[in-house]
Amino acid sequence: MKKNIAVVTGAGSGLGEQLVYALHARDYFVVLVGRDPAKLDKVSKRLRDNFLNIAIDISIKENVDTIFREVMAIDGVLDTVVHCAGEGVFAKVGAFDDHDLERVFSANLYGTILISQGALNAFGDRGGTLVNVMSTAANVAKAGESIYCAAKWGAKGFTESLRLETKGSNIRILSVYPGGMDTPFWDEASDMMPDTSTFMDPKEVAEIIIDNLRNKPSLQVTELTINRR
Amino acid sequence: MKKNIAVVTGAGSGLGEQLVYALHARDYFVVLVGRDPAKLDKVSKRLRDNFLNIAIDISIKENVDTIFREVMAIDGVLDTVVHCAGEGVFAKVGAFDDHDLERVFSANLYGTILISQGALNAFGDRGGTLVNVMSTAANVAKAGESIYCAAKWGAKGFTESLRLETKGSNIRILSVYPGGMDTPFWDEASDMMPDTSTFMDPKEVAEIIIDNLRNKPSLQVTELTINRR
């Protein structure tokens, strides 16, 4: 029997890394997507087999086309695409420049749109599961996080519109809104590095997400908000 | 007494054009911002005096700096900035390319962030009124409008976060969500040109917005949704 394939973006660290392990443990062939090849190598060293690393920037359409071309060449069935890549840019409005905007919108917003579109086209009529991992910042406004909120609210508006477009099809979409996790995300996000030791363990968050991918006969989870206890 | 200055983006046509006339009629010195100099000329020909045209693309930080440098050189007091520029890109998810994304996010999202930031810095401690015109698409998901919704939800997430950051200051922020208007907006938005003859008159929408800029002693309008009867 052919293996089910799962694609994970942001696979080099944090929640993406943990999703890779969790999906691989459930017998998926896992495609690890991230910008830094060294990080992908480090993660996939723990897998031994049934994986493919693709080191690429997902904010450009041509690159996303490359990813799904490589995925379709694998001897397996594309079942699940988890878009987990994201980057925080935290500061008060006042000195944002073009580089800040490009940085905050690339993976968080452009990546969400392009990966979702690539997944949909690759799933075809057979269908599949798309998981868009956003943030609690997609649901509320936050002082000091205005452009990060912009990116996440945008990703949510896109995903909810896509849900309407795919209603009645075999495409399943799960939106995930996790609160702060104890991951390298915070290293580059802000000058004010928070104490992340009390934040959520990304391994636990990954387990919750995977658990909620199981379809029941009459229902599916469509939105999942996860906060620390 | 020095004139109050109002800056209007998207001033070359549609709602922006009508806001120019309405503000000028209320004795503002009006700065018209838009990409097409011919359109700005056509609008400002009806004003005779107390105006300045700036033909520029507002999705680039350097250009927005130029706008506010020119505004600060005017013999007047910057009172109101209305960000009205926007562009529709309507289609189902499937074939969006980098150009579509750049087009939909430039004025709708990058422009909202950069103009808001420029206005804030130019207002300084004295304060002023920022009006961000979005769309009803900022509040609901819409099939066939996924990337337009992404841009507008993003602009809303940004604006609401900025509202939290400016709480207690002299900055006043009005978010406007108009439904469909009978304007040239639709010409380039979609292959499926809707019948706009029953849509709202942008002149009426402009009047409603201006009416809601009047502060009362104990209150101000912070969000305004406008739909056709």
Side-chain angles (χ1 to χ4, degrees), chain B residues 6 11 18 51 53 60 79 96 115 124 154 183:
Chain B
Q18 297 301 326
F51 73 88
N53 292 351
I60 296 161
D79 178 81
F96 292 128
I115 290 291
T183 69

Side-chain angles (χ1 to χ4, degrees), chain A residues 87-97 100-101 103-104 142-150 186 188-192, chain B residues 113 117 120 158 161-162 164-165:
Chain A
E87 193 168 351
V89 180
F90 299 147
K92 286 189 76 172
V93 176
F96 292 128
D97 60 22
D100 295 322
L101 299 189
R103 198 153 71 87
V104 81
K142 299 190 182 192
E145 303 190 13
S146 61
I147 60 174
Y148 185 65
C149 286
W186 302 97
E188 295 170 351
S190 168
D191 296 338
M192 309 148 286
Chain B
I113 293 169
Q117 175 172 272
L120 233 73
F158 170 81
S161 298
L162 182 59
L164 295 177
E165 286 182 18

Side-chain angles (χ1 to χ4, degrees), chain A residues 61 92-96 98 101 105 110 113 117 121 141-142 144 146 149-150 153-154 157-158 160-162 164-165, chain B residues 61 92-96 98 101 105 110 113 117 121 141-142 144 146 149-150 153-154 157-158 160-162 164-165:
Chain A
K61 166 79 162 54
K92 286 189 76 172
V93 176
F96 292 128
D98 296 329
L101 299 189
F105 291 127
Y110 283 68
I113 293 168
Q117 175 172 271
N121 289 336
K142 299 190 182 192
S146 61
C149 286
W153 285 47
F158 170 80
E160 294 308 304
S161 298
L162 182 59
L164 295 177
E165 287 182 18
Chain B
K61 166 81 160 53
K92 285 188 77 172
V93 176
F96 292 128
D98 296 330
L101 299 188
F105 291 127
Y110 283 67
I113 293 169
Q117 175 172 272
N121 289 335
K142 298 191 182 192
S146 61
C149 285
W153 284 47
F158 170 81
E160 293 309 303
S161 298
L162 182 59
L164 295 177
E165 286 182 18

